[in-house]
């Protein structure tokens, strides 16, 4: 459970990086909306990868950085599917008024985090394969 708590903490940091980077690029520098979103996503996914490498999964022998970073980005992209899917499903069920969008947001984030944690445990931060002799 300790590992999952660290993973969630790093995820919160990634959310902050995502939000701040997006706001800076889009509103501050006037970048096109989709470009600002894509760059903010990569910045956030890179932040969470680094934090999880150093803190959450520090006890595991690590794979080469570039290889692991690509896996972390792929995992984040895969986790976006249930995140957005649950978000949309909850909006359809609860509507768009009051607290419903925030409930949908939290539900989506939790669904995506579950998928991303599983992928991180089993694939992104899996111990490096030992070479056969």
């Amino acid at each position: 459970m300790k590992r999952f708590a660290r993973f969630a903490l790093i995820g919160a940091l990634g959310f902050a990086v995502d939000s701040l980077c997006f706001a800076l690029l889009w509103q501050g520098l006037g970048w096109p909306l989709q470009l600002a979103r894509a760059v903010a996503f990569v910045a956030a996914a890179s932040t969470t990868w680094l934090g999880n490498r150093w803190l959450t999964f520090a006890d595991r022998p690590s794979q080469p950085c570039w290889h692991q970073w690509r896996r972390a980005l792929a995992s984040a992209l895969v986790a976006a599917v249930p995140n957005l899917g649950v978000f949309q499903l909850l909006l359809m069920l609860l509507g768009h008024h009051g607290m419903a969008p925030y409930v949908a947001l939290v539900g989506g984030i939790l669904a995506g985090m579950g998928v991303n944690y599983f992928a991180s445990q089993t694939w992104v931060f899996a111990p490096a394969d030992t070479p056969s002799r």
Side-chain angles (χ1 to χ4, degrees):
M1 195 55 156
K2 218 175 186 183
R3 188 184 304 270
F4 186 76
R6 287 189 301 248
F7 187 84
L9 179 66
I10 297 298
L13 174 63
F15 180 78
V17 168
D18 197 342
S19 301
L20 291 171
C21 187
F22 175 73
L24 173 68
L25 296 174
W26 181 50
Q27 292 181 320
L29 298 177
W31 285 27
L33 184 65
Q34 297 300 335
L35 180 60
R37 185 66 199 100
V39 171
F41 173 84
V42 171
S46 298
T47 299
T48 58
W49 161 72
L50 195 58
N52 284 317
R53 181 179 171 96
W54 286 347
L55 181 64
T56 308
F57 298 100
D59 61 325
R60 294 191 177 175
S62 60
Q63 298 178 11
C65 285
W66 179 246
H67 177 75
Q68 197 178 60
W69 178 75
R70 287 189 330 244
R71 283 186 174 193
L73 288 181
S75 174
L77 285 170
V78 169
V81 173
N83 183 324
L84 297 175
V86 168
F87 175 75
Q88 188 59 39
L89 176 66
L90 289 174
L91 283 179
M92 288 172 20
L93 293 172
L94 302 174
H96 294 80
H97 302 291
M99 295 298 291
Y102 296 103
V103 171
L105 176 69
V106 170
I109 288 170
L110 291 175
M113 184 173 66
V115 169
N116 202 2
Y117 183 72
F118 177 76
S120 292
Q121 275 275 82
T122 60
W123 187 54
V124 177
F125 297 101
D129 294 331
T130 55
S132 56
R133 291 182 182 210

